CSV table of all heavy atoms in Angstrom, one decimal:
chain,number,residue,atom,x,y,z
A,1,ILE,N,94.9,117.5,132.1
A,1,ILE,CA,93.9,118.1,133.0
A,1,ILE,C,94.6,118.5,134.3
A,1,ILE,O,95.5,117.8,134.7
A,1,ILE,CB,92.8,116.9,133.4
A,1,ILE,CG1,92.0,116.6,132.1
A,1,ILE,CG2,92.0,117.4,134.5
A,1,ILE,CD1,91.0,115.5,132.3
A,2,VAL,N,94.2,119.7,134.8
A,2,VAL,CA,94.7,120.1,136.1
A,2,VAL,C,93.7,119.9,137.2
A,2,VAL,O,92.6,120.4,137.0
A,2,VAL,CB,95.1,121.7,135.9
A,2,VAL,CG1,95.6,122.1,137.3
A,2,VAL,CG2,96.2,121.9,134.8
A,3,VAL,N,94.1,119.2,138.2
A,3,VAL,CA,93.2,119.0,139.4
A,3,VAL,C,93.8,119.8,140.5
A,3,VAL,O,95.0,119.5,140.9
A,3,VAL,CB,93.0,117.5,139.7
A,3,VAL,CG1,92.1,117.3,140.8
A,3,VAL,CG2,92.6,116.7,138.4
A,4,ALA,N,93.0,120.6,141.2
A,4,ALA,CA,93.6,121.4,142.3
A,4,ALA,C,92.6,121.5,143.4
A,4,ALA,O,91.5,121.6,143.2
A,4,ALA,CB,94.1,122.8,141.8
A,5,GLY,N,93.2,121.5,144.6
A,5,GLY,CA,92.3,121.8,145.7
A,5,GLY,C,93.1,121.4,147.1
A,5,GLY,O,94.0,120.6,147.1
A,6,GLN,N,92.6,122.0,148.1
A,6,GLN,CA,93.2,121.7,149.4
A,6,GLN,C,94.8,122.0,149.4
A,6,GLN,O,95.4,121.2,150.2
A,6,GLN,CB,92.9,120.4,149.9
A,6,GLN,CG,91.4,120.1,150.1
A,6,GLN,CD,91.0,118.6,150.4
A,6,GLN,OE1,91.9,117.7,150.1
A,6,GLN,NE2,89.9,118.4,151.0
A,7,GLY,N,95.1,123.0,148.7
A,7,GLY,CA,96.6,123.3,148.6
A,7,GLY,C,97.4,122.4,147.8
A,7,GLY,O,98.6,122.4,148.0
A,8,LYS,N,96.8,121.5,147.1
A,8,LYS,CA,97.6,120.5,146.3
A,8,LYS,C,97.2,120.7,144.8
A,8,LYS,O,96.2,121.3,144.5
A,8,LYS,CB,97.2,119.1,146.7
A,8,LYS,CG,97.6,118.9,148.1
A,8,LYS,CD,97.2,117.4,148.6
A,8,LYS,CE,97.5,117.2,150.0
A,8,LYS,NZ,97.1,115.8,150.5
A,9,VAL,N,98.1,120.2,143.9
A,9,VAL,CA,97.8,120.2,142.5
A,9,VAL,C,98.4,119.0,141.9
A,9,VAL,O,99.3,118.4,142.3
A,9,VAL,CB,98.3,121.5,141.8
A,9,VAL,CG1,99.9,121.5,141.9
A,9,VAL,CG2,97.8,121.6,140.4
A,10,ALA,N,97.6,118.5,140.8
A,10,ALA,CA,98.1,117.4,140.0
A,10,ALA,C,97.8,117.5,138.6
A,10,ALA,O,96.8,118.1,138.2
A,10,ALA,CB,97.4,116.1,140.6
A,11,PHE,N,98.7,117.1,137.7
A,11,PHE,CA,98.4,117.1,136.3
A,11,PHE,C,98.1,115.7,135.8
A,11,PHE,O,98.9,114.8,136.2
A,11,PHE,CB,99.7,117.8,135.5
A,11,PHE,CG,99.8,119.2,135.7
A,11,PHE,CD1,100.6,119.6,136.8
A,11,PHE,CD2,99.2,120.1,135.0
A,11,PHE,CE1,100.9,120.9,137.0
A,11,PHE,CE2,99.5,121.5,135.2
A,11,PHE,CZ,100.2,121.9,136.3
A,12,LEU,N,97.0,115.6,135.1
A,12,LEU,CA,96.7,114.3,134.5
A,12,LEU,C,96.8,114.3,133.0
A,12,LEU,O,96.1,115.1,132.4
A,12,LEU,CB,95.4,113.9,134.9
A,12,LEU,CG,95.0,113.8,136.5
A,12,LEU,CD1,93.6,113.6,136.7
A,12,LEU,CD2,96.0,112.9,137.2
A,13,GLU,N,97.6,113.5,132.4
A,13,GLU,CA,97.6,113.4,130.9
A,13,GLU,C,96.7,112.2,130.6
A,13,GLU,O,97.0,111.1,131.0
A,13,GLU,CB,99.1,113.1,130.5
A,13,GLU,CG,99.3,113.0,129.0
A,13,GLU,CD,99.1,114.4,128.4
A,13,GLU,OE1,99.7,115.4,128.9
A,13,GLU,OE2,98.5,114.5,127.3
A,14,LEU,N,95.8,112.4,129.8
A,14,LEU,CA,94.8,111.3,129.4
A,14,LEU,C,95.1,110.8,128.0
A,14,LEU,O,95.3,111.5,127.1
A,14,LEU,CB,93.3,111.8,129.4
A,14,LEU,CG,92.9,112.4,130.7
A,14,LEU,CD1,91.4,112.8,130.6
A,14,LEU,CD2,93.0,111.4,131.9
A,15,LYS,N,95.4,109.5,128.0
A,15,LYS,CA,95.8,108.8,126.7
A,15,LYS,C,94.7,107.7,126.3
A,15,LYS,O,94.2,107.1,127.3
A,15,LYS,CB,97.1,108.3,126.8
A,15,LYS,CG,98.2,109.3,127.0
A,15,LYS,CD,98.3,110.1,125.7
A,15,LYS,CE,99.3,111.2,125.8
A,15,LYS,NZ,99.2,112.1,124.7
A,16,THR,N,94.7,107.5,125.1
A,16,THR,CA,93.8,106.3,124.6
A,16,THR,C,94.5,105.0,125.1
A,16,THR,O,95.7,104.8,124.9
A,16,THR,CB,93.8,106.3,123.1
A,16,THR,OG1,93.4,107.6,122.7
A,16,THR,CG2,92.9,105.2,122.5
A,17,PRO,N,93.6,104.1,125.6
A,17,PRO,CA,94.2,102.8,126.0
A,17,PRO,C,94.6,102.0,124.9
A,17,PRO,O,94.0,102.1,123.8
A,17,PRO,CB,93.1,102.2,126.8
A,17,PRO,CG,91.8,102.9,126.4
A,17,PRO,CD,92.3,104.2,125.9
A,18,ALA,N,95.6,101.0,125.0
A,18,ALA,CA,95.9,100.1,124.0
A,18,ALA,C,94.7,99.1,123.9
A,18,ALA,O,93.9,98.9,124.8
A,18,ALA,CB,97.1,99.2,124.5
A,19,GLY,N,94.6,98.5,122.7
A,19,GLY,CA,93.4,97.7,122.4
A,19,GLY,C,93.4,97.2,121.0
A,19,GLY,O,94.5,97.2,120.3
A,20,LYS,N,92.2,96.8,120.5
A,20,LYS,CA,92.2,96.3,119.1
A,20,LYS,C,91.2,97.3,118.3
A,20,LYS,O,90.2,97.6,118.9
A,20,LYS,CB,91.6,94.9,119.1
A,20,LYS,CG,92.6,93.9,119.6
A,20,LYS,CD,92.1,92.5,119.6
A,20,LYS,CE,93.1,91.5,120.1
A,20,LYS,NZ,92.6,90.1,120.0
A,21,ASP,N,91.6,97.5,117.1
A,21,ASP,CA,90.6,98.2,116.2
A,21,ASP,C,89.5,97.3,115.7
A,21,ASP,O,89.4,96.1,116.0
A,21,ASP,CB,91.4,98.9,115.2
A,21,ASP,CG,92.0,98.1,114.1
A,21,ASP,OD1,91.6,96.8,114.1
A,21,ASP,OD2,92.8,98.5,113.3
A,22,LEU,N,88.7,97.7,114.8
A,22,LEU,CA,87.5,97.0,114.3
A,22,LEU,C,87.9,95.8,113.5
A,22,LEU,O,87.2,94.9,113.5
A,22,LEU,CB,86.6,97.9,113.5
A,22,LEU,CG,85.8,99.0,114.3
A,22,LEU,CD1,85.1,99.9,113.3
A,22,LEU,CD2,84.9,98.4,115.3
A,23,LEU,N,89.2,95.8,113.0
A,23,LEU,CA,89.7,94.8,112.2
A,23,LEU,C,90.5,93.7,113.1
A,23,LEU,O,91.1,92.9,112.6
A,23,LEU,CB,90.5,95.2,111.0
A,23,LEU,CG,89.7,96.1,110.1
A,23,LEU,CD1,90.8,96.7,109.0
A,23,LEU,CD2,88.6,95.5,109.4
A,24,GLY,N,90.5,94.0,114.3
A,24,GLY,CA,91.3,93.0,115.2
A,24,GLY,C,92.8,93.4,115.4
A,24,GLY,O,93.6,92.6,116.0
A,25,LYS,N,93.2,94.5,114.7
A,25,LYS,CA,94.5,94.8,114.7
A,25,LYS,C,94.9,95.5,116.1
A,25,LYS,O,94.1,96.4,116.6
A,25,LYS,CB,94.8,95.9,113.5
A,25,LYS,CG,96.2,96.0,113.2
A,25,LYS,CD,96.3,96.9,112.0
A,25,LYS,CE,97.7,97.0,111.4
A,25,LYS,NZ,97.7,97.8,110.2
A,26,ARG,N,96.0,95.2,116.7
A,26,ARG,CA,96.4,95.8,118.0
A,26,ARG,C,96.8,97.2,117.8
A,26,ARG,O,97.6,97.5,116.9
A,26,ARG,CB,97.5,95.0,118.6
A,26,ARG,CG,97.3,93.5,118.9
A,26,ARG,CD,96.4,93.3,120.1
A,26,ARG,NE,97.0,93.7,121.4
A,26,ARG,CZ,96.1,94.0,122.4
A,26,ARG,NH1,94.9,94.0,122.4
A,26,ARG,NH2,96.7,94.4,123.6
A,27,SER,N,96.4,98.1,118.7
A,27,SER,CA,97.0,99.4,118.8
A,27,SER,C,97.7,99.6,120.2
A,27,SER,O,97.4,99.0,121.1
A,27,SER,CB,95.8,100.4,118.7
A,27,SER,OG,95.0,100.3,119.9
A,28,ARG,N,98.7,100.4,120.1
A,28,ARG,CA,99.5,100.6,121.3
A,28,ARG,C,98.9,101.6,122.2
A,28,ARG,O,99.5,101.8,123.3
A,28,ARG,CB,100.9,101.0,120.9
A,28,ARG,CG,101.1,102.2,120.1
A,28,ARG,CD,102.6,102.5,119.8
A,28,ARG,NE,102.7,103.8,119.2
A,28,ARG,CZ,103.8,104.5,119.1
A,28,ARG,NH1,104.9,103.8,119.3
A,28,ARG,NH2,103.8,105.6,118.5
A,29,GLY,N,97.9,102.4,121.9
A,29,GLY,CA,97.4,103.4,122.6
A,29,GLY,C,98.1,104.7,122.5
A,29,GLY,O,99.1,104.8,121.6
A,30,GLY,N,97.6,105.6,123.2
A,30,GLY,CA,98.1,107.0,123.1
A,30,GLY,C,99.5,107.1,123.6
A,30,GLY,O,100.0,106.4,124.5
A,31,VAL,N,100.3,107.9,122.9
A,31,VAL,CA,101.7,108.1,123.1
A,31,VAL,C,102.0,109.6,123.4
A,31,VAL,O,101.4,110.5,122.8
A,31,VAL,CB,102.6,107.7,121.9
A,31,VAL,CG1,104.2,107.9,122.2
A,31,VAL,CG2,102.3,106.2,121.6
A,32,MET,N,102.8,109.9,124.4
A,32,MET,CA,103.1,111.3,124.7
A,32,MET,C,104.0,111.9,123.7
A,32,MET,O,105.0,111.3,123.3
A,32,MET,CB,103.7,111.4,126.1
A,32,MET,CG,102.9,111.0,127.2
A,32,MET,SD,103.7,110.9,128.9
A,32,MET,CE,104.2,112.6,129.1
A,33,SER,N,103.8,113.2,123.3
A,33,SER,CA,104.7,114.0,122.4
A,33,SER,C,105.9,114.3,123.2
A,33,SER,O,106.0,114.3,124.5
A,33,SER,CB,104.0,115.2,121.9
A,33,SER,OG,103.8,116.2,123.0
A,34,GLU,N,106.9,114.9,122.6
A,34,GLU,CA,108.2,115.2,123.2
A,34,GLU,C,107.8,116.4,124.1
A,34,GLU,O,108.4,116.5,125.2
A,34,GLU,CB,109.3,115.7,122.1
A,34,GLU,CG,109.7,114.4,121.4
A,34,GLU,CD,110.4,113.3,122.4
A,34,GLU,OE1,111.1,113.7,123.2
A,34,GLU,OE2,110.1,112.2,122.1
A,35,ASP,N,107.0,117.3,123.7
A,35,ASP,CA,106.6,118.5,124.6
A,35,ASP,C,106.0,118.0,125.8
A,35,ASP,O,106.2,118.5,127.0
A,35,ASP,CB,105.7,119.4,123.8
A,35,ASP,CG,106.4,120.3,122.7
A,35,ASP,OD1,107.7,120.4,122.8
A,35,ASP,OD2,105.8,120.8,121.8
A,36,GLN,N,105.1,117.0,125.7
A,36,GLN,CA,104.4,116.5,126.9
A,36,GLN,C,105.5,115.8,127.9
A,36,GLN,O,105.4,116.0,129.1
A,36,GLN,CB,103.4,115.5,126.5
A,36,GLN,CG,102.2,116.2,125.8
A,36,GLN,CD,101.2,115.2,125.2
A,36,GLN,OE1,101.6,114.1,124.7
A,36,GLN,NE2,100.0,115.5,125.2
A,37,LYS,N,106.4,115.1,127.3
A,37,LYS,CA,107.4,114.5,128.1
A,37,LYS,C,108.3,115.5,128.8
A,37,LYS,O,108.7,115.4,130.0
A,37,LYS,CB,108.3,113.6,127.2
A,37,LYS,CG,107.6,112.3,126.8
A,37,LYS,CD,108.5,111.6,125.8
A,37,LYS,CE,107.8,110.3,125.2
A,37,LYS,NZ,108.6,109.7,124.2
A,38,LEU,N,108.6,116.7,128.1
A,38,LEU,CA,109.3,117.7,128.7
A,38,LEU,C,108.6,118.3,129.9
A,38,LEU,O,109.2,118.5,131.0
A,38,LEU,CB,109.7,118.7,127.7
A,38,LEU,CG,110.5,120.0,128.2
A,38,LEU,CD1,111.9,119.6,128.8
A,38,LEU,CD2,110.7,121.0,127.1
A,39,PHE,N,107.3,118.6,129.7
A,39,PHE,CA,106.5,119.1,130.8
A,39,PHE,C,106.4,118.2,131.9
A,39,PHE,O,106.5,118.6,133.1
A,39,PHE,CB,105.0,119.5,130.2
A,39,PHE,CG,104.1,120.0,131.3
A,39,PHE,CD1,104.3,121.4,131.6
A,39,PHE,CD2,103.1,119.3,131.9
A,39,PHE,CE1,103.5,121.9,132.5
A,39,PHE,CE2,102.4,119.9,132.8
A,39,PHE,CZ,102.5,121.2,133.2
A,40,GLN,N,106.3,116.9,131.6
A,40,GLN,CA,106.2,115.9,132.7
A,40,GLN,C,107.5,115.9,133.5
A,40,GLN,O,107.5,116.0,134.7
A,40,GLN,CB,106.1,114.5,132.2
A,40,GLN,CG,106.1,113.4,133.2
A,40,GLN,CD,106.1,112.0,132.6
A,40,GLN,OE1,106.5,111.7,131.5
A,40,GLN,NE2,105.5,111.0,133.3
A,41,SER,N,108.7,116.0,133.0
A,41,SER,CA,110.0,116.1,133.6
A,41,SER,C,110.1,117.3,134.4
A,41,SER,O,110.6,117.2,135.5
A,41,SER,CB,111.1,115.9,132.6
A,41,SER,OG,111.3,117.0,131.7
A,42,ARG,N,109.6,118.4,134.0
A,42,ARG,CA,109.6,119.7,134.7
A,42,ARG,C,108.8,119.6,136.0
A,42,ARG,O,109.1,120.1,137.0
A,42,ARG,CB,109.2,120.8,133.8
A,42,ARG,CG,110.3,121.2,132.8
A,42,ARG,CD,109.8,122.3,131.9
A,42,ARG,NE,110.8,122.8,130.9
A,42,ARG,CZ,110.7,123.5,129.9
A,42,ARG,NH1,109.5,124.1,129.8
A,42,ARG,NH2,111.6,123.8,129.1
A,43,CYS,N,107.6,119.0,135.9
A,43,CYS,CA,106.7,118.7,137.0
A,43,CYS,C,107.4,117.9,138.0
A,43,CYS,O,107.4,118.2,139.2
A,43,CYS,CB,105.4,118.1,136.6
A,43,CYS,SG,104.2,119.2,135.6
A,44,VAL,N,108.0,116.8,137.6
A,44,VAL,CA,108.7,115.8,138.5
A,44,VAL,C,109.9,116.6,139.2
A,44,VAL,O,110.1,116.5,140.4
A,44,VAL,CB,109.2,114.6,137.8
A,44,VAL,CG1,110.1,113.8,138.6
A,44,VAL,CG2,108.0,113.8,137.3
A,45,GLU,N,110.6,117.3,138.5
A,45,GLU,CA,111.7,118.1,139.1
A,45,GLU,C,111.3,119.0,140.1
A,45,GLU,O,112.0,119.3,141.1
A,45,GLU,CB,112.5,119.0,138.0
A,45,GLU,CG,113.3,118.1,137.0
A,45,GLU,CD,113.8,118.9,135.8
A,45,GLU,OE1,113.7,120.2,135.8
A,45,GLU,OE2,114.4,118.3,134.9
A,46,CYS,N,110.1,119.6,139.9
A,46,CYS,CA,109.5,120.6,140.8
A,46,CYS,C,108.6,119.9,142.0
A,46,CYS,O,108.2,120.7,142.9
A,46,CYS,CB,108.7,121.6,140.2
A,46,CYS,SG,109.6,122.7,139.0
A,47,GLY,N,108.6,118.6,141.9
A,47,GLY,CA,107.8,117.9,142.9
A,47,GLY,C,106.3,118.0,142.8
A,47,GLY,O,105.6,117.8,143.8
A,48,VAL,N,105.9,118.3,141.5
A,48,VAL,CA,104.4,118.4,141.2
A,48,VAL,C,104.0,117.1,140.7
A,48,VAL,O,104.6,116.5,139.9
A,48,VAL,CB,104.2,119.5,140.2
A,48,VAL,CG1,102.8,119.5,139.8
A,48,VAL,CG2,104.7,120.9,140.8
A,49,ALA,N,102.9,116.6,141.2
A,49,ALA,CA,102.3,115.3,140.8
A,49,ALA,C,101.9,115.4,139.3
A,49,ALA,O,101.3,116.3,138.8
A,49,ALA,CB,101.1,115.0,141.7
A,50,TYR,N,102.3,114.3,138.6
A,50,TYR,CA,102.0,114.2,137.2
A,50,TYR,C,101.7,112.7,136.8
A,50,TYR,O,102.5,111.9,137.2
A,50,TYR,CB,103.2,114.7,136.3
A,50,TYR,CG,102.9,114.8,134.8
A,50,TYR,CD1,102.6,116.0,134.2
A,50,TYR,CD2,102.9,113.7,134.0
A,50,TYR,CE1,102.2,116.1,132.9
A,50,TYR,CE2,102.7,113.7,132.6
A,50,TYR,CZ,102.3,115.0,132.1
A,50,TYR,OH,102.1,114.9,130.8
A,51,PHE,N,100.6,112.5,136.2
A,51,PHE,CA,100.2,111.1,135.9
A,51,PHE,C,99.8,111.0,134.5
A,51,PHE,O,99.2,111.9,133.9
A,51,PHE,CB,98.9,110.8,136.8
A,51,PHE,CG,99.3,110.8,138.2
A,51,PHE,CD1,98.9,111.9,138.9
A,51,PHE,CD2,99.8,109.7,138.9
A,51,PHE,CE1,99.3,112.1,140.3
A,51,PHE,CE2,100.0,109.8,140.3
A,51,PHE,CZ,99.7,110.9,141.0
A,52,VAL,N,100.1,109.9,133.9
A,52,VAL,CA,99.6,109.5,132.5
A,52,VAL,C,98.5,108.4,132.8
A,52,VAL,O,98.9,107.3,133.3
A,52,VAL,CB,100.8,108.9,131.6
A,52,VAL,CG1,100.2,108.6,130.3
A,52,VAL,CG2,101.8,110.0,131.5
A,53,CYS,N,97.3,108.7,132.4
A,53,CYS,CA,96.2,107.8,132.6
A,53,CYS,C,95.6,107.3,131.3
A,53,CYS,O,95.5,108.1,130.4
A,53,CYS,CB,95.1,108.5,133.5
A,53,CYS,SG,95.7,109.1,135.1
A,54,HIS,N,95.3,106.0,131.3
A,54,HIS,CA,94.7,105.4,130.2
A,54,HIS,C,93.3,105.0,130.4
A,54,HIS,O,92.6,104.6,129.4
A,54,HIS,CB,95.5,104.1,129.7
A,54,HIS,CG,96.9,104.5,129.3
A,54,HIS,ND1,97.9,104.6,130.2
A,54,HIS,CD2,97.5,104.8,128.2
A,54,HIS,CE1,99.0,104.9,129.6
A,54,HIS,NE2,98.8,105.2,128.3
A,55,ASP,N,92.7,105.1,131.6
A,55,ASP,CA,91.4,104.7,131.8
A,55,ASP,C,90.9,105.4,133.1
A,55,ASP,O,91.7,106.0,133.8
A,55,ASP,CB,91.1,103.2,131.8
A,55,ASP,CG,91.9,102.5,133.0
A,55,ASP,OD1,92.1,103.0,134.0
A,55,ASP,OD2,92.3,101.3,132.7
A,56,TRP,N,89.7,105.2,133.4
A,56,TRP,CA,89.0,105.9,134.6
A,56,TRP,C,89.7,105.4,135.9
A,56,TRP,O,89.9,106.2,136.9
A,56,TRP,CB,87.5,105.7,134.6
A,56,TRP,CG,86.9,106.6,135.8
A,56,TRP,CD1,86.2,105.9,136.8
A,56,TRP,CD2,86.8,107.9,136.0
A,56,TRP,NE1,85.8,106.9,137.6
A,56,TRP,CE2,86.2,108.1,137.2
A,56,TRP,CE3,87.4,109.0,135.3
A,56,TRP,CZ2,86.0,109.4,137.7
A,56,TRP,CZ3,87.2,110.3,135.8
A,56,TRP,CH2,86.5,110.5,137.0
A,57,ASP,N,89.9,104.1,136.0
A,57,ASP,CA,90.5,103.6,137.2
A,57,ASP,C,91.8,104.2,137.5
A,57,ASP,O,92.2,104.5,138.7
A,57,ASP,CB,90.8,102.1,137.1
A,57,ASP,CG,89.4,101.3,137.1
A,57,ASP,OD1,88.5,101.8,137.7
A,57,ASP,OD2,89.4,100.1,136.6
A,58,GLU,N,92.7,104.5,136.5
A,58,GLU,CA,94.0,105.2,136.6
A,58,GLU,C,93.8,106.6,137.1
A,58,GLU,O,94.5,107.1,137.9
A,58,GLU,CB,94.8,105.0,135.4
A,58,GLU,CG,95.3,103.7,135.0
A,58,GLU,CD,96.2,103.7,133.8
A,58,GLU,OE1,96.3,104.6,133.1
A,58,GLU,OE2,96.6,102.5,133.5
A,59,VAL,N,92.8,107.3,136.6
A,59,VAL,CA,92.5,108.6,137.0
A,59,VAL,C,92.1,108.7,138.5
A,59,VAL,O,92.6,109.4,139.3
A,59,VAL,CB,91.3,109.2,136.2
A,59,VAL,CG1,90.9,110.6,136.8
A,59,VAL,CG2,91.8,109.5,134.8
A,60,GLU,N,91.3,107.7,138.9
A,60,GLU,CA,90.8,107.7,140.3
A,60,GLU,C,92.0,107.3,141.2
A,60,GLU,O,92.2,107.9,142.3
A,60,GLU,CB,89.7,106.6,140.5
A,60,GLU,CG,88.3,107.0,140.0
A,60,GLU,CD,87.3,106.0,140.1
A,60,GLU,OE1,87.6,104.8,140.0
A,60,GLU,OE2,86.2,106.4,140.6
A,61,ALA,N,92.9,106.4,140.7
A,61,ALA,CA,94.0,106.1,141.5
A,61,ALA,C,95.0,107.3,141.7
A,61,ALA,O,95.6,107.5,142.8
A,61,ALA,CB,94.7,104.8,140.9
A,62,ALA,N,95.2,108.0,140.7
A,62,ALA,CA,96.1,109.2,140.7
A,62,ALA,C,95.5,110.2,141.7
A,62,ALA,O,96.3,110.8,142.5
A,62,ALA,CB,96.2,109.8,139.3
A,63,ILE,N,94.2,110.5,141.5
A,63,ILE,CA,93.6,111.5,142.5
A,63,ILE,C,93.7,111.0,144.0
A,63,ILE,O,94.1,111.8,144.8
A,63,ILE,CB,92.2,111.7,142.1
A,63,ILE,CG1,92.1,112.6,140.8
A,63,ILE,CG2,91.4,112.5,143.1
A,63,ILE,CD1,90.8,112.7,140.1
A,64,SER,N,93.5,109.7,144.1
A,64,SER,CA,93.6,109.2,145.5
A,64,SER,C,95.0,109.3,146.1
A,64,SER,O,95.2,109.5,147.2
A,64,SER,CB,93.1,107.7,145.5
A,64,SER,OG,91.8,107.6,145.3
A,65,GLU,N,96.0,109.0,145.2
A,65,GLU,CA,97.4,109.1,145.6
A,65,GLU,C,97.7,110.4,146.1
A,65,GLU,O,98.5,110.6,147.1
A,65,GLU,CB,98.3,108.8,144.5
A,65,GLU,CG,99.8,108.7,144.9
A,65,GLU,CD,100.6,108.2,143.7
A,65,GLU,OE1,100.2,107.3,143.0
A,65,GLU,OE2,101.7,108.7,143.6
A,66,VAL,N,97.2,111.5,145.5
A,66,VAL,CA,97.5,112.9,145.9
A,66,VAL,C,96.7,113.4,147.0
A,66,VAL,O,97.2,114.0,148.0
A,66,VAL,CB,97.4,113.9,144.7
A,66,VAL,CG1,97.6,115.3,145.1
A,66,VAL,CG2,98.3,113.5,143.5
A,67,TRP,N,95.4,113.1,147.1
A,67,TRP,CA,94.6,113.6,148.1
A,67,TRP,C,94.2,112.8,149.3
A,67,TRP,O,93.6,113.2,150.2
A,67,TRP,CB,93.2,114.1,147.5
A,67,TRP,CG,93.4,115.5,146.9
A,67,TRP,CD1,93.3,116.7,147.6
A,67,TRP,CD2,93.9,115.9,145.6
A,67,TRP,NE1,93.6,117.8,146.8
A,67,TRP,CE2,93.9,117.2,145.6
A,67,TRP,CE3,94.2,115.1,144.5
A,67,TRP,CZ2,94.4,117.9,144.4
A,67,TRP,CZ3,94.7,115.9,143.3
A,67,TRP,CH2,94.8,117.2,143.4
A,68,ASN,N,94.6,111.4,149.2
A,68,ASN,CA,94.3,110.6,150.3
A,68,ASN,C,95.6,110.0,150.9
A,68,ASN,O,95.6,108.9,151.4
A,68,ASN,CB,93.5,109.4,149.8
A,68,ASN,CG,92.1,109.8,149.4
A,68,ASN,OD1,91.6,110.8,149.9
A,68,ASN,ND2,91.5,109.1,148.6
A,69,ASP,N,96.7,110.8,150.9
A,69,ASP,CA,97.9,110.4,151.5
A,69,ASP,C,97.9,110.5,152.9
A,69,ASP,O,97.7,110.7,153.8
A,69,ASP,CB,99.1,111.1,150.9
A,69,ASP,CG,99.0,112.6,151.0
A,69,ASP,OD1,98.0,113.1,151.5
A,69,ASP,OD2,99.9,113.3,150.5
């Protein structure tokens, strides 16, 4: 997801949170692909905000970090 406004931009990668499936088996949650990792590193190199979020609280924290500094 791209969030932009007030002269700022941030990229948010949304991933499935870790947890348990219906049989009680642990899942590790969403994992970034190699292409996503490459894009993340390019953003960081250019000073562009990039976040990997697993739940709504992390999304809110990421947006607050960029727009409430």
Side-chain angles (χ1 to χ4, degrees):
I1 295 175
V2 179
V3 183
Q6 300 174 335
K8 299 177 183 180
V9 65
F11 291 90
L12 306 177
E13 184 72 44
L14 304 181
K15 294 295 180 189
T16 306
K20 292 183 179 179
D21 65 15
L22 294 174
L23 302 174
K25 199 174 188 182
R26 298 284 298 153
S27 66
R28 64 180 183 168
V31 179
M32 293 173 62
S33 70
E34 290 304 314
D35 286 338
Q36 291 168 329
K37 291 176 185 177
L38 178 61
F39 183 74
Q40 178 185 29
S41 68
R42 288 180 178 169
C43 287
V44 171
E45 288 171 6
C46 294
V48 176
Y50 187 98
F51 301 90
V52 180
C53 302
H54 296 90
D55 59 36
W56 183 248
D57 289 336
E58 290 180 0
V59 170
E60 287 182 317
I63 290 171
S64 291
E65 184 176 322
V66 174
W67 277 271
N68 294 330
D69 56 1

